[in-house]
Amino acid sequence: MTEEKKAVVSTKSGKLEGVYEDGLHKFRGIPYAEPPVGKLRWLPPQPVKPWDGIRPAKKYGAMAPQIAAAAPRDFPGAPDFGDVPQSEDCLYLNIWTPGLDDGKRPVFFWIHGGGFTIGSGSETFLDKGVLAQRGDIVMVSINYRLGAAGFLNLKEITGGAIPSTGNEGILDQAAALAWVQDNIARFGGNPDNITIAGFSAGGMSVGTLLALPAAKGRFCKAVNRSGAANMVGTPAEALAIAQEFLGIFGLKGNDIDGIRNLSTEKLLDGQTGVGELMRQRGKNPLVFQPIVDGVILPHKPMDAIRQGYARQVTVMAGTSRDELKSSSAGDPSLKNLDDDGLVKRLSASLPDTIIPGLIAAYRKSLTDAGKPAAAADIFSCIDTDALFRIPTLRLIEAQQQHGARAFNYLFTYPSPAMGGILGAMHGLDNPFLFGALDREFTGNGEKQQKLAETIQDSCAAFMHTGNPSCRSAGEWPEYGNTRKTMVFDTDTRIEEDVFGEEREAWDKYTL
């Protein structure tokens, strides 16, 4: 419900008029950089030009061009970005604030997920701003360039004629962060108390920003949700992707005009084509990702973090127990998977030396818990931990080594959808964090509401003080040597070394 209440703010770029809804001032579609179109395509984000008069900020800005998610829109937990158009002119952010005053509230800077190819800061679970109101914080969400527009390195293959490093999407995030630091005080926020946070590729972006010189000093806390600091590419991999991408259109690196003249639709076609080629070859389907180019991103994020680059940042990081169960449930190739097939699939991405130990550990853990332990179940669990949980624990451990405070959680509440077969799937915890429960996907009874409030309160406490302990969650100790972990479920509790037998099986695995 919209109430009659003036919401006009003067920023360094110009005046903005938002709306007052749900007890919050909301500003949507704020440009934080010039539109990256025409000659600015594949360049770092450029400062937004000031405007005259009062600019309306009542509707979301266009989201980055993308192909719809593979899951049908009515599938439980399928992404929903609202009725928002797509355009390469997509560098916008949104703000929810309880007050346009000098309240110096903590700032929550949210980076959406989507495998660096889909997503938007207009995710519908954000819209009401429940977390901002309950936590008395200023909440920000952003768009950034995706896919070939944001993560395609053309510098090498074109001899520098097109200077994109493959990090333009990450630089967009840093530019949005800089805009927020410069202007958020005018929205009741504290520029010296910014928490960057993200889910999935957004969490991986947070891990990258921890090691990005362009973002250093612009935030003091980080929340990695189902994404750590492990998804980056090398220059050699980036060059190979660029060759494949251009080859789809019959282009060479010296055909500069042909490359620049590719339409938005062609960029999306190229993304799809390269992704399919990688899948056919059994390679990482996450084709578009940040690149360790030695300049924009000087080192692998985990290497930089291990060296203490982010020692000043307090971290809260965690995952869901069954991240990939929803994708496994829809994968027909897993239906008849036997142990030989399990070993073969794991060998595509993991060292052969650790695979027998992993299979034995996960089979025992699942069996002891009274859960199905067929080859497909074991594969789903190992795949989840390889991509999400183990990198998250390594990030926490690396921060601790340099004296930084680090907190871990594991979300284990299962979705009631589809008879419960999805478990605590990827993204199920987001509606709990942002107060957007429903009957089918999350359940919306008293227990679920209590869990949502506990997750919101602990996150807000972390933003305010750097410690997620709060009345609803109780004392939340640092991860420490005993690996204390907050287990979020209808019986939320602290446990030490959760699923330790599984974790130990990864000890010889180096990220």
Side-chain angles (χ1 to χ4, degrees):
M1 179 178 177
T2 302
E3 302 170 38
E4 289 299 323
K5 197 166 185 178
K6 199 73 169 176
V8 176
V9 171
S10 294
T11 72
K12 292 184 178 181
S13 307
K15 292 183 178 180
L16 293 164
E17 182 175 7
V19 297
Y20 188 76
E21 297 173 344
D22 307 310
L24 295 167
H25 297 278
K26 301 179 183 181
F27 295 81
R28 303 180 177 100
I30 302 172
Y32 65 83
E34 281 296 287
V37 298
K39 293 181 179 180
L40 296 185
R41 181 198 267 180
W42 289 316
L43 289 182
Q46 303 299 303
V48 63
K49 294 177 182 176
W51 57 82
D52 296 324
I54 298 176
R55 181 186 177 106
K58 302 180 180 182
K59 295 182 178 180
Y60 290 114
M63 60 184 179
Q66 54 197 266
I67 297 170
R73 196 162 184 174
D74 60 352
F75 186 86
D80 186 356
F81 311 123
D83 187 19
V84 178
Q86 297 184 19
S87 171
E88 288 191 58
D89 175 5
C90 63
L91 300 186
Y92 298 94
L93 58 80
N94 315 292
I95 298 173
W96 293 255
T97 179
L100 301 176
D101 50 28
D102 59 356
K104 293 187 176 180
R105 297 171 182 84
V107 179
F108 187 68
F109 183 91
W110 178 252
I111 305 170
H112 69 75
F116 300 108
T117 56
I118 68 169
S120 171
S122 62
E123 293 165 300
T124 54
F125 56 66
L126 297 171
D127 200 55
K128 287 190 176 298
V130 172
L131 182 61
Q133 190 169 61
R134 183 175 178 87
D136 192 29
I137 63 166
V138 177
M139 190 169 75
V140 179
S141 72
I142 68 168
N143 294 349
Y144 53 97
R145 280 174 282 182
L146 300 170
F151 296 94
L152 178 64
N153 182 309
L154 293 169
K155 182 178 180 180
E156 312 307 323
I157 201 169
T158 66
I162 299 177
S164 63
T165 64
N167 288 315
E168 283 64 42
I170 289 294
L171 289 176
D172 291 343
Q173 297 172 11
L177 190 55
W179 191 96
V180 168
Q181 192 175 48
D182 287 344
N183 292 282
I184 206 65
R186 302 166 193 227
F187 296 86
N190 184 352
D192 297 321
N193 188 9
I194 296 176
T195 298
I196 61 171
F199 161 72
S200 196
M204 296 166 187
S205 295
V206 169
T208 302
L209 291 172
L210 286 168
L212 191 78
K216 193 170 181 64
R218 296 197 179 277
F219 57 93
C220 59
K221 305 183 193 76
V223 178
N224 298 76
R225 300 176 61 80
S226 300
N230 56 311
M231 297 307 295
V232 290
T234 67
E237 290 168 338
L239 177 58
I241 293 298
Q243 290 169 336
E244 296 285 8
F245 183 88
L246 296 186
I248 288 172
F249 305 108
L251 295 170
K252 300 291 185 181
N254 59 0
D255 191 353
I256 306 305
D257 288 341
I259 298 171
R260 289 194 182 280
N261 290 332
L262 288 171
S263 66
T264 301
E265 291 73 20
K266 290 291 186 183
L267 293 188
L268 294 176
D269 290 343
Q271 288 176 206
T272 302
V274 173
E276 185 56 36
L277 283 173
M278 294 301 108
R279 276 186 285 272
Q280 290 174 1
R281 296 170 187 172
K283 294 186 177 181
N284 181 8
L286 196 62
V287 174
F288 298 97
Q289 58 188 332
I291 303 298
V292 184
D293 67 330
V295 181
I296 303 299
L297 189 57
H299 307 286
K300 287 183 178 181
M302 271 306 303
D303 288 347
I305 293 165
R306 285 191 180 107
Q307 293 164 11
Y309 191 82
R311 61 167 56 92
Q312 304 300 325
V313 180
T314 305
V315 169
M316 179 168 70
T319 57
S320 293
R321 175 59 174 162
D322 307 303
E323 297 278 9
L324 298 179
K325 207 163 188 179
S326 58
S327 56
S328 297
D331 185 349
S333 69
L334 292 178
K335 288 184 178 179
N336 298 312
L337 189 70
D338 58 16
D339 280 6
D340 289 341
L342 171 61
V343 171
K344 184 177 180 180
R345 289 193 70 146
L346 292 176
S347 295
S349 57
L350 295 172
D352 291 340
T353 54
I354 69 168
I355 290 174
L358 287 172
I359 292 174
Y362 280 79
R363 176 168 279 139
K364 182 178 185 303
S365 178
L366 289 169
T367 301
D368 289 350
K371 294 187 175 182
D377 302 301
I378 294 170
F379 175 76
S380 179
C381 290
I382 292 176
D383 207 24
T384 283
D385 285 2
L387 186 58
F388 298 106
R389 185 167 182 242
I390 298 305
T392 295
L393 296 182
R394 298 286 170 83
L395 169 61
I396 289 171
E397 292 162 358
Q399 279 296 86
Q400 284 190 156
Q401 288 175 0
H402 293 279
R405 306 186 74 190
F407 303 86
N408 179 230
Y409 74 84
L410 183 66
F411 182 86
T412 62
Y413 169 78
S415 170
M418 299 176 66
I421 67 169
L422 302 176
M425 63 170 277
H426 194 55
L428 176 60
D429 52 335
N430 284 332
F432 285 86
L433 175 62
F434 293 107
L437 303 184
D438 70 341
R439 184 176 61 83
E440 180 187 13
F441 181 48
T442 63
N444 57 2
E446 185 177 341
K447 288 183 177 180
Q448 290 83 2
Q449 187 60 45
K450 182 180 179 182
L451 175 57
E453 291 174 355
T454 299
I455 291 173
Q456 293 161 27
D457 292 347
S458 58
C459 190
F462 179 78
M463 286 182 268
H464 278 275
T465 68
N467 186 330
S469 301
C470 59
R471 181 176 298 178
S472 55
E475 181 66 22
W476 184 339
E478 295 178 44
Y479 186 66
N481 294 330
T482 57
R483 306 178 186 277
K484 294 183 178 67
T485 300
M486 181 65 76
V487 179
F488 282 121
D489 209 319
T490 52
D491 59 340
T492 295
R493 62 203 181 274
I494 290 290
E495 289 189 17
E496 293 186 355
D497 200 12
V498 183
F499 301 112
E501 201 168 21
E502 298 174 1
R503 178 195 55 74
E504 287 178 355
W506 293 92
D507 281 351
K508 295 181 181 179
Y509 179 60
T510 302
L511 283 173

